[in-house]
């Protein structure tokens, strides 16, 4: 479509997985699951709802008759009642008990909470993958000295790997926030029009215990550990504000990294991946612009600003509820998640293939190191009988003169030669140069990296084994689970386990997975994977996959079929991982 607006999140940036979570289909399927949960709870608590009516509702939980709902909404101008009506058309015996005692916010707000939890789990998975990439990078470059900067001016040395731990540490704060939000999210429950549960008190003849049990049963059915203790008609919009503030925290960390990388690319020390046929500039063929990092910075700015939307919404709700939250919330919450998903997708790409130019890094270090080594020269000279104060003044004069030659004359730094020629400094040139080993100026940086990765990062990565699956792998799993739905379950489960097992042992997984996806005989292709020794974390994921039987929930199988038929591979990803973790 070229004649109407399309969101760049849908066409360019966000994954299909995240887009599905905020789709109409996901929303309306969740509405039906909530209506089923309500009916089951009311039946169990003695209301005149039959098992046959519940079975009828469950039989049509997935085949939503959208045309009927849309036609009805044109007439009644109410989305919830339109879908109540459409569900009733498919379930004539149960139509009279759908939405019994509930308000629109029962399905609307509870669905919003469920979707945000699912989306947070996708964000967490991708964030952990980014940390995993950074962990490998930091370990590989923990010993490579580089210039550190304060005020963007060369300061003392650090190492390339140590700088990466700073980027990681920011993201770990964000991961803590994500974990907290997931753990503490509560359903609205069944609170009624103004939060008093009056309609349910009426239904249950004033039996408070049954009204409270109703919410517990709904939570159990929807896999939540509780509801908000009090509310008006909606859950507090501070929840949205807090969650989007958490997403903004990730954006802050991402922007910090992308800005640093853009500067390092200018220094020619590091750069983001650059594809073989990529064009950096339409005017200047030689350019290799940090376009992905710039996109991270740009999208991060959007996410940070966007968190003001729910904050203002939370602060301007009147009494038990006003509807001025709705239009803003539809846009700000969904696009906040789509934007952070887009950022993480780019981060995954960039951090997996970061480029370092060690010779340039070292060259830049050596240009500045003579100035940094002056204190060491002074201390060694004092040991040899020199006067500390006189040495300090002499070295100060030489440092300024050398800096002037570099800055004003464009010459080479000759500080070492100047100090070696000064009789007040009892060291010759070779003795001074012997002090210029960059590794002697990085302090505990390599050790700090090792300690950080082992003591802080590794336990977190071990806590989430198997979360390293890529979009391509998720697509493959969707294919295989679809096969399971069409064949003997045991064979399908074995296939899934076999793919996970071989995937985790693959030495060159990306090419292997592509060959599997496009192979006519996927089962044969799986067996031809190149095998290599898996890591400890991967072993744990293998054990998880092979300790059978590998049972897949009914909704996972359904969404796999839906994903394959509609080619929306992301659906299976969200359900596999949201179910598992």
């Amino acid at each position: 479509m070229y004649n109407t607006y399309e969101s760049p999140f849908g066409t360019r940036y966000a994954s299909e997985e995240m887009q599905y979570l905020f789709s109409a289909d996901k929303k309306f399927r969740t509405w039906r699951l909530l209506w089923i949960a309500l009916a089951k709870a009311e039946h169990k608590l003695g209301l005149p709802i039959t098992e046959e009516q519940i079975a009828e509702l469950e039989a049509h939980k997935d085949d939503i008759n959208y045309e009927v709902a849309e036609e009805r909404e044109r007439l009644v101008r109410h989305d919830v009642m339109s879908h109540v009506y459409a569900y009733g058309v498919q379930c004539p015996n149960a139509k009279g008990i759908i939405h019994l005692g509930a308000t629109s916010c029962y399905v609307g707000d509870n669905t919003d909470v469920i979707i945000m939890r699912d989306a947070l789990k996708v964000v967490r998975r991708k964030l952990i993958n980014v940390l995993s990439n950074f962990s490998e990078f930091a370990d590989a470059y923990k010993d490579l000295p580089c210039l550190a900067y304060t005020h963007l001016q060369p300061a003392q040395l650090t190492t390339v790997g140590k700088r990466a731990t700073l980027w990681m540490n920011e993201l770990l704060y964000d991961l803590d926030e994500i974990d907290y939000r997931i753990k503490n999210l509560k359903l609205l429950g069944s609170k009624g029009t103004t939060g008093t549960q009056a309609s349910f008190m009426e239904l249950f003849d004033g039996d408070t215990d049954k009204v409270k049990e109703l919410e517990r049963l709904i939570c159990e059915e929807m896999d939540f550990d509780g509801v908000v203790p009090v509310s008006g008609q909606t859950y507090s919009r501070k929840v949205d504000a807090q969650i989007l503030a958490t997403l903004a925290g990730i954006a802050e960390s991402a922007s910090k990294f992308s800005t640093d990388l853009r500067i390092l690319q200018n220094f020619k020390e590091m750069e983001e991946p650059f594809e073989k046929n990529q064009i950096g500039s339409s005017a200047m063929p030689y350019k290799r612009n940090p376009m992905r990092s710039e996109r991270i910075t740009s999208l991060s700015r959007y996410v940070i600003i966007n968190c003001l939307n729910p904050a203002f919404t939370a602060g301007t709700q009147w009494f038990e509820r006003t509807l001025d939250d709705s239009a803003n919330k539809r846009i700000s919450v969904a696009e906040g998640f789509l934007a952070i998903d887009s950022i993480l997708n780019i981060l995954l790409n960039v951090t997996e293939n970061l480029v370092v130019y060690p010779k340039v890094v070292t060259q830049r270090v050596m240009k500045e190191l003579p100035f940094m080594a002056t204190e060491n020269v002074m201390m060694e000279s004092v040991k040899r009988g020199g006067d500390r104060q006189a040495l300090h003044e002499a070295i100060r004069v030489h440092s300024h003169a050398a800096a002037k030659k570099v800055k004003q004359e464009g010459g080479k730094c000759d500080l070492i030669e100047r100090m070696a020629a000064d009789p007040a400094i009892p060291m010759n040139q070779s003795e001074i140069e012997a002090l210029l080993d960059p590794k002697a100026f990085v302090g505990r940086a390599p050790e700090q990296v090792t300690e950080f990765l082992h003591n802080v990062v590794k336990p977190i990565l071990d806590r989430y084994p198997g979360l390293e699956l890529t979009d391509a792998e998720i697509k493959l799993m969707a294919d295989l689970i679809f096969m399971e739905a069409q064949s003997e379950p045991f064979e399908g489960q074995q296939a899934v386990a076999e793919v996970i097992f071989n995937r985790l042992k693959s030495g060159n997984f990306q090419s292997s997975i592509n060959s599997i996806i496009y192979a006519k005989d996927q089962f044969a292709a799986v067996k031809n994977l190149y095998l290599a020794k898996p890591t400890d974390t991967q072993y744990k994921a293998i054990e998880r996959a092979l300790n059978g039987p590998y049972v897949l929930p009914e909704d996972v199988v359904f969404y796999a079929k839906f994903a394959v038929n509609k080619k929306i591979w992301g659906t299976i990803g969200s359900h596999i991982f949201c179910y598992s973790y």
Side-chain angles (χ1 to χ4, degrees):
M1 296 189 301
Y2 297 100
N3 59 348
T4 59
Y5 175 77
E6 293 180 302
S7 170
F9 291 123
T11 58
R12 296 176 67 92
Y13 301 137
S15 66
E16 291 178 335
E17 177 180 19
M18 188 63 80
Q19 288 185 59
Y20 181 76
L21 289 179
F22 289 92
S23 69
D25 190 70
K26 168 70 173 178
K27 176 173 74 172
F28 295 132
R29 289 180 190 279
T30 307
W31 283 12
R32 291 197 171 188
L33 293 176
L34 284 162
W35 281 323
I36 292 169
L38 179 63
K40 284 182 175 180
E42 290 174 336
H43 163 74
K44 189 170 184 177
L45 293 172
L47 293 186
I49 295 173
T50 66
E51 292 183 357
E52 290 73 21
Q53 288 173 315
I54 293 171
E56 188 177 48
L57 292 175
E58 290 182 319
H60 293 283
K61 64 183 172 65
D62 298 319
D63 56 331
I64 299 175
N65 47 348
Y66 284 108
E67 298 82 2
V68 175
E70 290 164 2
E71 182 179 355
R72 183 68 175 178
E73 187 170 355
R74 283 192 289 270
L75 177 65
V76 301
R77 298 303 224 183
H78 196 288
D79 57 350
V80 174
M81 290 308 297
S82 299
H83 277 267
V84 169
Y85 174 84
Y87 206 3
V89 169
Q90 291 177 307
C91 306
N93 294 324
K95 69 177 182 180
I97 57 94
I98 299 172
H99 200 65
L100 182 59
T103 66
S104 297
C105 286
Y106 168 72
V107 288
D109 273 37
N110 284 318
T111 291
D112 286 348
V113 171
I114 291 166
I115 289 173
M116 285 194 293
R117 184 179 68 172
D118 287 356
L120 284 169
K121 289 183 177 181
V122 173
V123 169
R124 178 171 65 183
R125 169 162 52 86
K126 294 186 177 184
L127 187 58
I128 289 167
N129 286 337
V130 171
L131 286 165
S132 179
N133 289 345
F134 269 138
S135 180
E136 293 180 11
F137 178 85
D139 189 52
Y141 291 99
K142 65 178 180 290
D143 294 315
L144 178 59
C146 67
L147 290 175
Y149 296 88
T150 59
H151 311 276
L152 198 52
Q153 305 302 309
Q156 291 297 318
L157 300 188
T158 183
T159 69
V160 171
K162 172 61 190 300
R163 177 175 286 138
T165 65
L166 303 185
W167 297 326
M168 295 174 70
N169 197 48
E170 305 268 305
L171 293 172
L172 288 174
Y173 290 134
D174 302 321
L175 181 60
D176 284 342
E177 282 291 312
I178 291 285
D179 284 339
Y180 179 84
R181 297 298 163 206
I182 292 172
K183 180 181 178 181
N184 289 281
L185 259 182
K186 306 292 184 186
L187 285 178
L188 169 67
S190 49
K191 294 293 195 295
T193 305
T194 59
T196 65
Q197 300 178 299
S199 58
F200 293 102
M201 288 293 286
E202 180 68 25
L203 276 174
F204 290 106
D205 298 322
D207 191 328
T208 295
D209 290 338
K210 284 189 175 181
V211 173
K212 291 163 65 176
E213 178 67 4
L214 179 75
E215 287 195 313
R216 191 195 69 77
L217 291 171
I218 291 169
C219 280
E220 185 178 84
E221 182 74 15
M222 302 309 296
D223 194 27
F224 275 77
D225 62 6
V227 299
V228 296
V230 294
S231 74
Q233 187 178 99
T234 68
Y235 65 78
S236 169
R237 294 316 185 214
K238 284 187 72 70
V239 174
D240 297 340
Q242 291 169 341
I243 288 176
L244 262 65
T246 297
L247 300 186
I250 299 174
E252 294 158 16
S253 303
S255 184
K256 157 71 173 154
F257 161 71
S258 63
T259 302
D260 283 354
L261 184 57
R262 290 161 64 192
I263 297 171
L264 289 168
Q265 186 152 335
N266 174 266
F267 293 165
K268 296 180 174 57
E269 291 189 20
M270 288 177 59
E271 65 183 26
E272 64 180 38
F274 196 86
E275 306 300 333
K276 180 180 179 181
N277 297 314
Q278 183 176 333
I279 296 173
S281 167
S282 62
M284 295 162 281
Y286 64 89
K287 293 198 74 178
R288 293 165 69 102
N289 296 329
M291 297 166 64
R292 296 174 217 190
S293 298
E294 290 173 315
R295 193 174 304 134
I296 291 172
T297 306
S298 181
L299 290 169
S300 295
R301 187 181 308 130
Y302 178 85
V303 175
I304 293 167
I305 296 300
N306 184 55
C307 75
L308 292 175
N309 276 299
F312 277 110
T313 296
T316 54
Q317 286 289 283
W318 298 351
F319 300 111
E320 282 66 44
R321 187 278 153 91
T322 51
L323 195 58
D324 59 314
D325 62 340
S326 180
N328 186 291
K329 175 179 167 65
R330 287 174 193 268
I331 299 168
S332 61
V333 174
E335 292 202 345
F337 274 102
L338 293 171
I340 209 67
D341 178 71
S342 306
I343 291 167
L344 289 168
N345 292 337
I346 305 169
L347 270 176
L348 283 167
N349 174 269
V350 171
T351 57
E352 188 176 16
N353 301 286
L354 275 172
V355 179
V356 178
Y357 295 107
K359 290 184 179 180
V360 177
V361 173
T362 301
Q363 181 189 67
R364 288 174 54 79
V365 166
M366 296 311 295
K367 285 182 179 180
E368 301 290 341
L369 194 56
F371 296 99
M372 298 177 188
T374 54
E375 184 176 6
N376 296 50
V377 172
M378 184 171 64
M379 293 299 101
E380 180 62 28
S381 296
V382 170
K383 289 180 183 178
R384 298 185 182 196
D387 181 294
R388 192 267 180 200
Q389 311 312 325
L391 285 164
H392 184 281
E393 178 60 19
I395 291 174
R396 184 189 70 80
V397 171
H398 291 317
S399 297
H400 284 272
K404 179 180 178 181
K405 183 173 182 179
V406 171
K407 295 177 180 178
Q408 296 184 17
E409 301 174 18
K412 179 179 177 290
C413 176
D414 60 356
L415 177 58
I416 294 175
E417 290 84 350
R418 287 175 180 271
M419 290 190 294
D422 189 336
I425 300 175
M427 298 179 70
N428 61 38
Q429 185 167 334
S430 61
E431 289 174 325
I432 294 174
E433 287 176 344
L435 296 176
L436 302 184
D437 177 6
K439 291 186 177 181
F441 291 82
V442 299
R444 292 188 62 247
E447 187 179 352
Q448 286 176 329
V449 173
T450 300
E451 291 170 355
F452 179 74
L453 296 181
H454 184 269
N455 298 334
V456 180
V457 179
K458 186 177 184 296
I460 292 171
L461 297 181
D462 288 347
R463 193 189 313 157
Y464 300 102
L467 286 186
E468 307 88 356
L469 296 181
T470 65
D471 288 343
E473 297 165 78
I474 291 169
K475 176 183 181 298
L476 174 62
M477 292 186 73
D479 279 331
L480 291 171
I481 298 171
F482 181 48
M483 292 178 190
E484 173 192 17
Q486 294 181 317
S487 62
E488 291 295 323
F490 181 72
E491 293 179 9
Q493 291 161 1
Q494 285 289 96
V496 171
E498 184 179 13
V499 167
I500 294 175
F501 181 79
N502 285 288
R503 166 261 184 274
L504 292 169
K505 294 194 298 181
S506 172
N508 183 9
F509 183 72
Q510 195 56 52
S511 61
S512 300
I513 202 69
N514 288 337
S515 69
I516 294 173
I517 291 171
Y518 297 109
K520 292 183 179 179
D521 186 349
Q522 292 180 316
F523 289 96
V526 167
K527 296 177 182 178
N528 293 329
L529 278 173
Y530 175 76
L531 301 182
K533 185 178 178 181
T535 65
D536 291 341
T537 300
Q538 291 169 338
Y539 269 123
K540 292 182 181 179
I542 292 170
E543 292 173 3
R544 180 186 181 89
L546 295 183
N547 285 339
Y550 189 84
V551 179
L552 294 166
E554 181 182 347
D555 69 317
V556 170
V557 176
F558 165 76
Y559 279 105
K561 290 193 289 184
F562 179 83
V564 174
N565 290 335
K566 301 290 186 182
K567 298 192 183 303
I568 303 177
W569 308 118
T571 58
I572 187 63
S574 64
H575 282 78
I576 286 175
F577 294 111
C578 291
Y579 144 72
S580 298
Y581 297 95

